[in-house]
Amino acid sequence: MQEMTPVFKMLRQQGFTARQRFMCCSGCAGSAIATEFGEKSKKDPSLSTKGFVFFHAQDVITQEDMRRYDEPSFMLRFGPIEHTDHETGRVQTWGLPIKEIGEAVVAVLRACNVAYEWDGNPDKCIEVFPYGRAEKKVG
């Protein structure tokens, strides 16, 4: 899925924690990012990020998917990183408000000419069409 590499590179350059094909599913990916930041912050309290953006292994589009679907797509998950220290119970949060993260992600998608759908609702994932949108056939 070469088309997404420039998107993720630009997101990282802008200060986001951005991962492609990261972990098996949303739960594992979110937990891994939170744990990573929790551990790193103990060593470097100045650690920062604008937030996370990822898609996981279950989202990867294959050649088989492209044959089955007119418009293969997948979901980008995004938000601030939140970690609870299990020893102290203290919650740490890194990143912008979730809506601002979503708006920044779609700005990068537009800049990279990647088709997407997102209604601006921060509680919804951004649907990405890395191979473009199929033209609707009339009649």
Side-chain angles (χ1 to χ4, degrees):
M1 186 175 318
Q2 190 66 27
E3 292 78 2
M4 293 304 292
T5 299
V7 171
F8 279 78
K9 182 178 180 181
M10 188 179 291
L11 287 165
R12 284 190 294 277
Q13 289 171 341
Q14 290 183 9
F16 289 93
T17 300
R19 309 269 170 79
Q20 296 187 73
R21 295 180 208 87
F22 185 62
M23 305 298 288
C24 60
C25 63
S26 296
C28 290
S31 177
I33 290 173
T35 299
E36 175 187 328
F37 265 75
E39 290 172 3
K40 285 183 177 180
S41 72
K42 289 179 181 177
K43 296 175 187 168
D44 180 6
S46 66
L47 183 68
S48 69
T49 184
K50 289 184 177 178
F52 72 82
V53 182
F54 70 84
F55 65 91
H56 52 68
Q58 293 175 8
D59 283 325
V60 175
I61 297 170
T62 66
Q63 291 295 324
E64 182 180 327
D65 292 330
M66 290 179 65
R67 285 191 296 271
R68 280 190 297 199
Y69 304 110
D70 290 335
E71 292 184 329
S73 67
F74 63 88
M75 300 298 183
L76 285 182
R77 286 119 178 119
F78 60 93
I81 297 171
E82 189 173 282
H83 177 262
T84 302
D85 184 310
H86 296 293
E87 294 173 12
T88 65
R90 183 173 159 243
V91 176
Q92 286 182 279
T93 303
W94 296 270
L96 301 169
I98 191 168
K99 185 164 176 66
E100 288 181 39
I101 295 169
E103 291 167 348
V105 172
V106 298
V108 170
L109 291 169
R110 277 194 302 274
C112 293
N113 294 314
V114 175
Y116 69 90
E117 279 186 17
W118 186 55
D119 64 5
N121 182 340
D123 295 327
K124 292 184 179 178
C125 296
I126 299 167
E127 185 173 11
V128 177
F129 302 87
Y131 301 105
R133 300 295 309 256
E135 281 197 34
K136 303 290 182 199
K137 296 178 183 174
V138 180

